[in-house]
Amino acid sequence: MFSFEYPYVLLLLVLAVACVLFCKEKKRAIYFPNTELLGSLTRSRQWLLNTLRLAILSLLIIGLSSPIKTQQIILDNSKGHEISLILDASGSMAHLDKFRIVKAIMVDFISKRKTDKIALSVFADFAYTVVPLTYDKKSVIKMLSNIEIGVAGKRKTALYEALFLSSKLFNNSKSKERIAILLTDGKDNTNSIPLEMAIERAKENKIKVYTVAVGDQRDYNVDILSHIANSTGAKFFSANSQKSIEDIYKQINQLEKSEININKYEKKIYYFHYPLSLALIFLWIYFWRKNTWNLNK
């Protein structure tokens, strides 16, 4: 951004104009009759000298105001996470409006992860990736809002397959902080992927898998969900109300808080030497023309 370091100095431009217009140079005068042609020539010369004087004073004032160009340099040392959200979309999630409640809580969670990459996967009869890892939170929230129960079937719960599939999203990851949040209200009953294979893939990609169980404890397997979380260095949570689900996501948000360290610097480029140099050139022209005209008198 171009600006002046001392902008108030520019007010002297008004004084410079007034000085050129009203501060007349005192000279000895000899009056002759019928000197219209000589007067016209004198006025022409005087106009050029006044213009040069005004230009010199203006350039000097501009130089004194120190014109600068400021560039803002931002060094962003953000420590962002890569987070995979794995959501159970089976038919049982429709009970007590669990699916809608969980989606609303997940939207709030996503909106708070400013410097993180987010991915979204859902599972029921089978698992699939809705959105791969991305910084575009708006797209993730939009896709999440449009997902309804039944998009992956209603009858089964491919929990292990979902974990395995989600872990593959981190195959080329360079992030040091990789986490997955797996939410379900049931047990795996597809046998499409062995449990230990899914856990091993998560461990290979250094993913901490937080498991969240919602609903009646008789519907999900606490031991298996705890095993998944403990094996990957994370935690298991259970919830049976909207408030407890909200608290769980708040806890995970605090446990995996991104550290942000943004340093801003301003680089200033000075341009005062350009108007000053131009003022010296005009000053040389001014004295040269004035002395030339005086010698030719």
mmCIF file of all heavy atoms in Angstrom, residues 52 55-56 59 277-287:
data_model
loop_
_atom_site.group_PDB
_atom_site.id
_atom_site.type_symbol
_atom_site.label_atom_id
_atom_site.label_comp_id
_atom_site.label_asym_id
_atom_site.label_seq_id
_atom_site.Cartn_x
_atom_site.Cartn_y
_atom_site.Cartn_z
ATOM 1 N N LEU A 52 8.490 26.487 -12.510
ATOM 2 C CA LEU A 52 9.648 25.741 -12.009
ATOM 3 C C LEU A 52 9.787 25.881 -10.496
ATOM 4 O O LEU A 52 10.085 24.912 -9.795
ATOM 5 C CB LEU A 52 10.920 26.227 -12.711
ATOM 6 C CG LEU A 52 11.122 25.752 -14.156
ATOM 7 C CD1 LEU A 52 12.299 26.472 -14.800
ATOM 8 C CD2 LEU A 52 11.351 24.241 -14.189
ATOM 9 N N ALA A 55 7.147 23.738 -8.864
ATOM 10 C CA ALA A 55 7.488 22.315 -8.994
ATOM 11 C C ALA A 55 8.594 21.931 -8.015
ATOM 12 O O ALA A 55 8.542 20.877 -7.376
ATOM 13 C CB ALA A 55 7.906 22.016 -10.429
ATOM 14 N N ILE A 56 9.609 22.806 -7.882
ATOM 15 C CA ILE A 56 10.735 22.525 -6.971
ATOM 16 C C ILE A 56 10.254 22.451 -5.528
ATOM 17 O O ILE A 56 10.575 21.513 -4.793
ATOM 18 C CB ILE A 56 11.821 23.611 -7.125
ATOM 19 C CG1 ILE A 56 12.486 23.498 -8.506
ATOM 20 C CG2 ILE A 56 12.881 23.475 -6.028
ATOM 21 C CD1 ILE A 56 13.288 24.726 -8.904
ATOM 22 N N LEU A 59 8.033 19.315 -4.966
ATOM 23 C CA LEU A 59 8.822 18.077 -4.914
ATOM 24 C C LEU A 59 9.603 17.969 -3.608
ATOM 25 O O LEU A 59 9.740 16.881 -3.038
ATOM 26 C CB LEU A 59 9.755 18.000 -6.115
ATOM 27 C CG LEU A 59 9.071 17.723 -7.466
ATOM 28 C CD1 LEU A 59 10.043 17.956 -8.616
ATOM 29 C CD2 LEU A 59 8.531 16.293 -7.510
ATOM 30 N N SER A 277 15.464 14.108 -6.076
ATOM 31 C CA SER A 277 16.330 14.111 -7.255
ATOM 32 C C SER A 277 15.716 14.942 -8.371
ATOM 33 O O SER A 277 16.412 15.734 -9.040
ATOM 34 C CB SER A 277 16.564 12.673 -7.745
ATOM 35 O OG SER A 277 17.197 11.898 -6.757
ATOM 36 N N LEU A 278 14.417 14.786 -8.564
ATOM 37 C CA LEU A 278 13.728 15.566 -9.594
ATOM 38 C C LEU A 278 13.728 17.050 -9.247
ATOM 39 O O LEU A 278 13.866 17.914 -10.130
ATOM 40 C CB LEU A 278 12.290 15.050 -9.738
ATOM 41 C CG LEU A 278 11.507 15.487 -10.978
ATOM 42 C CD1 LEU A 278 12.243 15.096 -12.251
ATOM 43 C CD2 LEU A 278 10.116 14.863 -10.975
ATOM 44 N N ALA A 279 13.627 17.365 -7.950
ATOM 45 C CA ALA A 279 13.682 18.765 -7.510
ATOM 46 C C ALA A 279 15.047 19.379 -7.827
ATOM 47 O O ALA A 279 15.141 20.545 -8.250
ATOM 48 C CB ALA A 279 13.398 18.849 -6.018
ATOM 49 N N LEU A 280 16.118 18.634 -7.650
ATOM 50 C CA LEU A 280 17.467 19.128 -7.973
ATOM 51 C C LEU A 280 17.614 19.392 -9.467
ATOM 52 O O LEU A 280 18.254 20.379 -9.885
ATOM 53 C CB LEU A 280 18.507 18.110 -7.506
ATOM 54 C CG LEU A 280 18.758 18.027 -5.993
ATOM 55 C CD1 LEU A 280 19.706 16.884 -5.669
ATOM 56 C CD2 LEU A 280 19.326 19.349 -5.469
ATOM 57 N N ILE A 281 17.026 18.526 -10.287
ATOM 58 C CA ILE A 281 17.086 18.724 -11.740
ATOM 59 C C ILE A 281 16.340 19.992 -12.124
ATOM 60 O O ILE A 281 16.838 20.829 -12.900
ATOM 61 C CB ILE A 281 16.488 17.505 -12.466
ATOM 62 C CG1 ILE A 281 17.366 16.274 -12.240
ATOM 63 C CG2 ILE A 281 16.343 17.777 -13.967
ATOM 64 C CD1 ILE A 281 16.757 14.978 -12.739
ATOM 65 N N PHE A 282 15.136 20.190 -11.570
ATOM 66 C CA PHE A 282 14.362 21.403 -11.857
ATOM 67 C C PHE A 282 15.073 22.651 -11.337
ATOM 68 O O PHE A 282 15.010 23.720 -11.952
ATOM 69 C CB PHE A 282 12.969 21.295 -11.232
ATOM 70 C CG PHE A 282 12.021 20.404 -11.983
ATOM 71 C CD1 PHE A 282 10.804 20.058 -11.438
ATOM 72 C CD2 PHE A 282 12.354 19.910 -13.238
ATOM 73 C CE1 PHE A 282 9.919 19.234 -12.126
ATOM 74 C CE2 PHE A 282 11.483 19.093 -13.934
ATOM 75 C CZ PHE A 282 10.260 18.742 -13.372
ATOM 76 N N LEU A 283 15.761 22.528 -10.207
ATOM 77 C CA LEU A 283 16.493 23.655 -9.638
ATOM 78 C C LEU A 283 17.638 24.061 -10.560
ATOM 79 O O LEU A 283 17.888 25.258 -10.768
ATOM 80 C CB LEU A 283 17.025 23.278 -8.254
ATOM 81 C CG LEU A 283 17.655 24.398 -7.429
ATOM 82 C CD1 LEU A 283 16.624 25.482 -7.126
ATOM 83 C CD2 LEU A 283 18.229 23.851 -6.123
ATOM 84 N N TRP A 284 18.307 23.058 -11.117
ATOM 85 C CA TRP A 284 19.395 23.353 -12.065
ATOM 86 C C TRP A 284 18.839 24.037 -13.294
ATOM 87 O O TRP A 284 19.417 25.013 -13.789
ATOM 88 C CB TRP A 284 20.091 22.035 -12.439
ATOM 89 C CG TRP A 284 21.224 22.240 -13.415
ATOM 90 C CD1 TRP A 284 22.509 22.576 -13.130
ATOM 91 C CD2 TRP A 284 21.147 22.133 -14.838
ATOM 92 N NE1 TRP A 284 23.250 22.686 -14.277
ATOM 93 C CE2 TRP A 284 22.428 22.421 -15.345
ATOM 94 C CE3 TRP A 284 20.126 21.821 -15.733
ATOM 95 C CZ2 TRP A 284 22.717 22.403 -16.715
ATOM 96 C CZ3 TRP A 284 20.396 21.806 -17.088
ATOM 97 C CH2 TRP A 284 21.677 22.082 -17.569
ATOM 98 N N ILE A 285 17.689 23.579 -13.816
ATOM 99 C CA ILE A 285 17.056 24.193 -14.987
ATOM 100 C C ILE A 285 16.638 25.627 -14.674
ATOM 101 O O ILE A 285 16.812 26.543 -15.492
ATOM 102 C CB ILE A 285 15.833 23.352 -15.435
ATOM 103 C CG1 ILE A 285 16.286 21.977 -15.944
ATOM 104 C CG2 ILE A 285 15.044 24.069 -16.526
ATOM 105 C CD1 ILE A 285 15.148 21.027 -16.227
ATOM 106 N N TYR A 286 16.119 25.814 -13.480
ATOM 107 C CA TYR A 286 15.654 27.144 -13.069
ATOM 108 C C TYR A 286 16.800 28.156 -13.092
ATOM 109 O O TYR A 286 16.684 29.238 -13.682
ATOM 110 C CB TYR A 286 15.031 27.048 -11.667
ATOM 111 C CG TYR A 286 14.658 28.380 -11.069
ATOM 112 C CD1 TYR A 286 13.464 29.008 -11.414
ATOM 113 C CD2 TYR A 286 15.506 29.018 -10.159
ATOM 114 C CE1 TYR A 286 13.125 30.231 -10.864
ATOM 115 C CE2 TYR A 286 15.168 30.240 -9.608
ATOM 116 C CZ TYR A 286 13.971 30.841 -9.962
ATOM 117 O OH TYR A 286 13.642 32.071 -9.428
ATOM 118 N N PHE A 287 17.916 27.817 -12.437
ATOM 119 C CA PHE A 287 19.053 28.750 -12.397
ATOM 120 C C PHE A 287 19.680 28.923 -13.777
ATOM 121 O O PHE A 287 20.126 30.012 -14.132
ATOM 122 C CB PHE A 287 20.097 28.261 -11.397
ATOM 123 C CG PHE A 287 19.718 28.506 -9.967
ATOM 124 C CD1 PHE A 287 19.542 27.468 -9.073
ATOM 125 C CD2 PHE A 287 19.525 29.804 -9.498
ATOM 126 C CE1 PHE A 287 19.195 27.694 -7.761
ATOM 127 C CE2 PHE A 287 19.175 30.045 -8.182
ATOM 128 C CZ PHE A 287 19.002 28.987 -7.305
#
